Structures are given as structure tokens and as C-alpha cells.
Amino acid sequence: MNSAKIYSFKDVILAIAISLMGFLVFNWFQSPLQHQLNPLFDANQYQKAYEYFKGITDHYTVNYPFSVRILVPWLAAQFPFDDIYTNFKIINLLFGIAWIPVWFIVAPTVGLDRFKTWLGWFWITFHWVDIWKANLSDPITVDLPLYLFQLLLLLALIKKKWWLLILIAPIATIQKESFLPILVVLCLYPGIPWLQKGKRIQFIYLLVALALSFITLKTTSLYFPGANTGKNAIINLFNNTLGLIGHPDLLLRWVLSLSLAYGAFIWIMIWNRKLLINSENEFQKVLFPLVGVYLFFSLFAGGDFTRIAFLGAPFMMVLFLQRLALSYRQWIILFVISIPVQRLFEFIPDGGSDFENWKTWYPEYAPWAWVVIYLVYTLLLALISKKYLQVNHSH
């Protein structure tokens, strides 16, 4: 498992080819949900934005925070096709491919060997809640560009390409406003330690990116205000926190969601947390707060624990894999106990016409019979990881 750290053009071409085949297969078998049958789905809001940019409607009646996520609906509206599903699938396909070459640059740069680079790509691409299957089940979404922007952010930090950080800050913000708190965290750490160490120019670039993101969000909010007046990120966070206090079982469901999103990887990191705390790798110390942001989002940002946790997959998988030193036997154990969460040969039910069956896939919404099943699986993951997947700390 200790192959050379590489960036191979052939690897990128092969990964893109396999991804395209995956897209074609999943597109054939995975039916899109009928979101119009269930007002709870975000797609209803994104459709309103799309229809406004397409010129179908004259009034912008999109609720916050969906109202400020204008990038993907606007891009989808630029295509000449009349079918909204086709236009959004084109955008999803483009961004579902665009992140791949950046992944194959970033991963080896931060210390992932060829095997780990491919493993991270596979997990992100073929897990049921990630690149293809979930976004073909619910294609009217704005999530897919996140993977590209997160990797470009990592590339900017690794290579100190500050122009890249400045470039993506406003674009990523109109894709999803969550990019702003990511920049806030970066300004706190590693920004403040950089300032204390005399790296003032790096701190200034972070502040400039943060300012651009903030100005972009405020400008977007001004021109595309939410139809639900009085709503903002702070109010939403407060309401979501109240919901957690009133339903403490959601904390259990959140843990189960993390296990379904990342399998044994997350439990290996929990049992081997000294690898993170004692690491002298400066880049890993930057990754840790970024991962923390998405763990926070997954719990407090709206209830979709599993989906939101996986939106941080580029950060999470790099963190998990960077210092993961296992024997061949341990890798086999990890695969055997983790592959079930990928649900490779299953397809997501239609959440519009079969909402009750759809909910069984998500621990945060599942009935208690399914919660018990997920709990048993999570306990097995935790115990097997504790007993058999201790990491070689000398790596």
C-alpha cells in the first residue's frame, strides 16, 4: 500500500471514464424523485429559482437560504432545453467530472499514495449519498459544485495560490452560502496563528477572501431576497438547535448518519484520535477545523444529517486517509465492514411518491425499527474498528 506519491494523467482519464460509466448506469436505473409531490424537498425551491432565471416567472418567490444559492439554477437556465431535469443533470455531470483532476492533484500533494487516492475517489463517487446516485435521485440540487470548490480551496492553501482563493470565494458563495463560515474558520485558524508568526500577507489574503464572500452574500441577498422575510442563518441555526433540544434522540440518529456516511473510517479516527491531536503535519491541523465545520453543519444546518455530513467528503476523506497506516489484513477488514454502507446495487426510493420507504434510507428520518438496525451496524463498526483496526502510530 506504499506506492509512490503520484499525479498521473492516465489515472485522471481512467477515473473520469469510470465516473462517466457510473453516471450512465445510475442515470438509467435511478429514477428522479417527484419533488412536486412533497413540499419538504429543496428541489421545489430550486425549481422556482430556475423558472425565474429561465423567464418562466416574473417574480422571485424563493425562500431563504435557497434564495441566495443562485449559481446552479442560473447556469441550468442557460441551456436551451425545456426539461428542467435535463438541464440540471448537465450541470451535475459537468461538476461531477470537474472535481476529479483536482482530487488527483490535491490527494498526492498532501501525502496520499496512489492506493489511497483511488480509494478516496471511489468512496466519494460511488457512495449512495454522494456524487452520482443521490444527485440523480434528486437532480434539481445545487450541491455538486461543492466538491470542486472545496478541493480548489485545499489546493489554494497547500500551494499558497492566494489568487485562486480570491477567485473562488465569491463564486463558491453564490453556489452555497456555507462557504462564508468556512472562510471565517480559516481566518481564526490557521489565520490568527499565521499572523502571530509574522505571516501577515497570508492572513490578509484570508481576510480579503472573507470580505469578498461576505459582500457577495449581502449583495445576493439584496437582489434576490428570500420570500420568507425575517429568516437568516442565525435564526435558522437557533430554530434547529431548539429542535435538537426537544428531540434528544436526534443526537443518536446523527451518530448513525455519520457511520452510514463514512463507515469504519470515522471510527478508526475516533479510536486513533491521537493521530490528529499529536500530529506535526500543519496541513492536517488545517483540515481538522474544516472537518469540524461540516460536522457542525450536519447536526445543526437543517436536519439532513447524512447528506450534509457527506458534503464535506473531500475534507473528511483526506483527513481520514492521510495518516491511515494499515496492514493488508486490516484493509480487507475495513472494506468488508464498510462496503455495505455504499449500497452499490440498490437505488434510492422516490421520496415524492414513496416518502415512507425513502425515509428508511436516512437514520435521521427512519422509523425506530430501522434505527435499531443502523444502531446494531454502527456498534459492530465501532467494536471491530476498536479491536482490529488500530493504526500503526509509527507511520
Side-chain angles (χ1 to χ4, degrees):
M1 303 297 176
N2 294 318
S3 54
K5 300 174 185 177
I6 65 162
Y7 166 65
S8 169
F9 183 71
K10 292 181 179 178
D11 284 6
V12 171
I13 296 300
L14 179 59
I16 290 176
I18 297 172
S19 290
L20 287 172
M21 287 189 288
F23 174 84
L24 293 174
V25 171
F26 290 152
N27 187 53
W28 181 267
F29 289 103
Q30 178 63 67
S31 301
L33 60 84
Q34 301 174 71
H35 62 276
Q36 64 275 11
L37 299 180
N38 191 332
L40 295 176
F41 284 108
D42 298 350
N44 292 289
Q45 297 296 322
Y46 297 134
Q47 181 172 355
K48 291 179 182 179
Y50 166 85
E51 290 175 347
Y52 175 81
F53 291 123
K54 196 75 171 174
I56 299 173
T57 58
D58 295 328
H59 301 288
Y60 197 73
T61 57
V62 185
N63 289 342
Y64 183 89
F66 313 102
S67 57
V68 296
R69 302 171 183 173
I70 62 174
L71 178 64
V72 174
W74 180 83
L75 288 173
Q78 305 313 305
F79 290 104
F81 310 109
D82 293 329
D83 181 46
I84 185 174
Y85 289 99
T86 299
N87 292 337
F88 269 86
K89 282 183 178 181
I90 292 172
I91 296 297
N92 291 343
L93 176 61
L94 293 174
F95 281 102
I97 295 299
W99 75 280
I100 296 175
V102 188
W103 170 261
F104 276 84
I105 295 173
V106 169
T109 303
V110 300
L112 271 60
D113 61 26
R114 192 178 191 183
F115 169 76
K116 291 179 180 178
T117 300
W118 275 99
L119 176 58
W121 164 84
F122 177 84
W123 194 269
I124 294 173
T125 301
F126 290 107
H127 192 287
W128 69 269
V129 81
D130 214 0
I131 294 291
W132 292 142
K133 195 176 290 184
N135 291 295
L136 285 168
S137 168
D138 187 10
I140 304 177
T141 177
V142 303
D143 287 346
L144 263 172
L146 267 178
Y147 304 104
L148 174 63
F149 291 137
Q150 288 176 8
L151 288 169
L152 290 175
L153 173 64
L154 290 180
L155 187 63
L157 293 173
I158 298 165
K159 298 289 190 180
K160 294 181 171 53
K161 303 285 187 182
W162 304 116
W163 62 269
L164 180 59
L165 176 64
I166 300 301
L167 176 66
I168 66 173
I171 301 174
T173 302
I174 61 173
Q175 182 259 326
K176 214 163 191 181
E177 74 286 350
S178 59
F179 202 77
L180 177 62
I182 288 174
L183 291 173
V184 170
V185 169
L186 287 175
C187 284
L188 296 174
Y189 188 89
I192 292 178
W194 281 349
L195 184 63
Q196 293 171 339
K197 294 177 181 178
K199 299 178 180 179
R200 187 166 59 179
I201 188 65
Q202 298 182 14
F203 181 65
I204 290 174
Y205 276 120
L206 286 176
L207 285 180
V208 171
L210 175 61
L212 283 173
S213 177
F214 180 78
I215 292 170
T216 300
L217 181 58
K218 286 301 180 183
T219 304
T220 307
S221 299
L222 179 64
Y223 284 96
F224 302 97
N228 52 341
T229 55
K231 292 285 187 178
N232 57 48
I234 302 299
I235 292 175
N236 288 346
L237 179 61
F238 178 75
N239 290 335
N240 293 335
T241 303
L242 288 180
L244 286 171
I245 294 173
H247 299 86
D249 64 290
L250 290 177
L251 290 174
L252 169 64
R253 292 172 179 266
W254 176 63
V255 173
L256 302 183
S257 294
L258 294 179
S259 295
L260 261 63
Y262 294 107
F265 289 110
I266 197 161
W267 287 102
I268 293 172
M269 287 297 102
I270 289 173
W271 299 133
N272 298 273
R273 54 192 175 276
K274 289 183 179 179
L275 284 175
L276 301 178
I277 298 171
N278 298 330
S279 173
E280 296 179 1
N281 187 315
E282 289 298 320
F283 177 70
Q284 194 176 48
K285 292 178 181 177
V286 172
L287 269 178
F288 196 63
L290 292 177
V291 166
V293 168
Y294 270 93
L295 291 176
F296 179 85
F297 284 164
S298 67
L299 183 58
F300 291 101
D304 291 342
F305 297 159
T306 313
R307 179 183 64 86
I308 297 174
F310 221 125
L311 290 180
F315 299 148
M316 302 283 277
M317 292 308 295
V318 169
L319 180 66
F320 293 157
L321 292 170
Q322 191 179 31
R323 291 175 60 84
L324 192 57
L326 301 176
S327 66
Y328 284 96
R329 177 174 172 269
Q330 288 177 311
W331 280 114
I332 292 172
I333 293 172
L334 186 153
F335 292 149
V336 169
I337 64 176
S338 296
I339 280 296
V341 304
Q342 294 252 322
R343 306 185 80 157
L344 290 171
F345 303 106
E346 300 177 73
F347 296 93
I348 305 170
D350 185 339
S353 63
D354 192 9
F355 189 53
E356 294 305 312
N357 195 20
W358 178 89
K359 288 194 296 185
T360 64
W361 281 57
Y362 298 84
E364 57 267 45
Y365 303 122
W368 277 103
W370 278 93
V371 171
V372 171
I373 294 172
Y374 292 139
L375 176 59
V376 170
Y377 176 71
T378 296
L379 290 174
L380 287 173
L381 279 179
L383 293 173
I384 294 173
S385 299
K386 176 72 172 177
K387 183 172 179 61
Y388 296 107
L389 298 179
Q390 291 296 320
V391 176
N392 178 8
H393 286 67
S394 64
H395 179 68

